[in-house]
Amino acid sequence: MATDTEPVDQVIRLFAEESRVRAFAAVALGAGTPAAVARTAGLSARETAVALHRLGEQGVVVEGTDGSLGVAYDLFRDHAREAARRERTAVGPVAQEPVLRTFVRDGRLVRLPAQWNRKKLVLRHIAEQTFEPGVAYPERVVDEKLRAWCEESDEIDHVTLRRYLVDLHHLRRSEGIYRMPSADEASGESSHG
């Protein structure tokens, strides 16, 4: 039975084999022929052939018009966009409530979920409850606000929380000033990858 995450799962399984990872890395670093891939990756000719065959089957390594090997970066971008689209539609308001009740109590973060989608949901909630879109916050103020979320948690500190919020684009940082993007800015950013 196929699932919504099948393409991403296939890529993950593809990279579970070290020889394929090494061959892929060699191609990403510019090795354009099987012989160059074998040299760069430190693989035998047979290992290289098998790895390149599987990478080609899954479409992550392609042959260019000049015959040289290359990475299919568009495939990764498409997978990332599709995963983001599924995520936006999968976690509705009804599904959010139990997750938030489990990990956030009385305006405090109990702990961060291990599951990535739940973690992103909790982090988005924290950003939306803590910051106003478009308002400039000095780092000192951001730290104070996030420290309050971490008071009940031994597992996470305000610095880690701030880093997550920046990495997930809930906050933008420039010269020590943080700003939460408006809904328009955030949707424009996600549509551009």
Side-chain angles (χ1 to χ4, degrees):
M1 176 173 164
T3 65
D4 284 339
T5 59
E6 187 175 296
V8 174
D9 289 343
Q10 286 173 352
V11 171
I12 290 169
R13 283 191 298 273
L14 181 67
F15 289 119
E17 169 60 45
E18 183 183 350
S19 63
R20 292 191 292 254
V21 173
R22 290 169 65 179
F24 178 83
V27 173
L29 291 171
T33 65
V37 171
R39 272 193 313 277
T40 304
L43 298 171
S44 70
R46 185 183 184 324
E47 290 172 313
T48 301
V50 170
L52 289 175
H53 176 74
R54 286 288 288 133
L55 293 167
E57 269 183 348
Q58 293 299 315
V60 299
V61 169
V62 294
E63 193 173 310
T65 55
D66 63 354
S68 66
L69 300 170
V71 173
Y73 292 107
D74 288 345
L75 178 72
F76 290 100
R77 274 192 290 275
D78 292 346
H79 285 337
R81 285 184 183 127
E82 179 59 23
R85 185 200 61 75
R86 277 194 314 274
E87 183 182 307
R88 283 191 302 271
T89 59
V91 183
V94 174
Q96 291 178 16
E97 287 304 316
V99 172
L100 293 175
R101 274 197 314 270
T102 302
F103 297 100
V104 176
R105 292 200 191 109
D106 300 322
R108 303 284 186 262
L109 178 63
V110 177
R111 70 182 190 280
L112 275 178
Q115 186 182 16
W116 185 238
N117 284 343
R118 290 179 176 187
K119 185 180 291 186
K120 290 192 295 187
L121 172 74
V122 169
L123 291 165
R124 186 178 70 223
H125 172 78
I126 290 171
E128 290 171 350
Q129 296 300 309
T130 309
F131 303 103
E132 292 293 323
V135 175
Y137 297 94
E139 187 167 299
R140 168 184 51 78
V141 173
V142 171
D143 286 348
E144 287 171 17
K145 289 176 170 287
L146 295 179
R147 208 175 271 123
W149 281 97
C150 300
E151 286 177 358
E152 302 295 320
S153 176
D154 295 331
E155 295 183 15
I156 190 163
D157 60 31
H158 68 282
V159 175
T160 303
L161 198 53
R162 184 183 69 215
R163 188 174 309 120
Y164 274 128
L165 294 177
V166 170
D167 288 348
L168 292 172
H169 307 288
H170 295 309
L171 289 177
R172 290 185 179 159
R173 175 180 47 212
S174 177
E175 299 176 8
I177 301 296
Y178 293 76
R179 197 171 63 80
M180 183 176 176
S182 68
D184 290 340
E185 290 173 312
S187 66
E189 188 171 87
S190 65
S191 68
H192 290 96

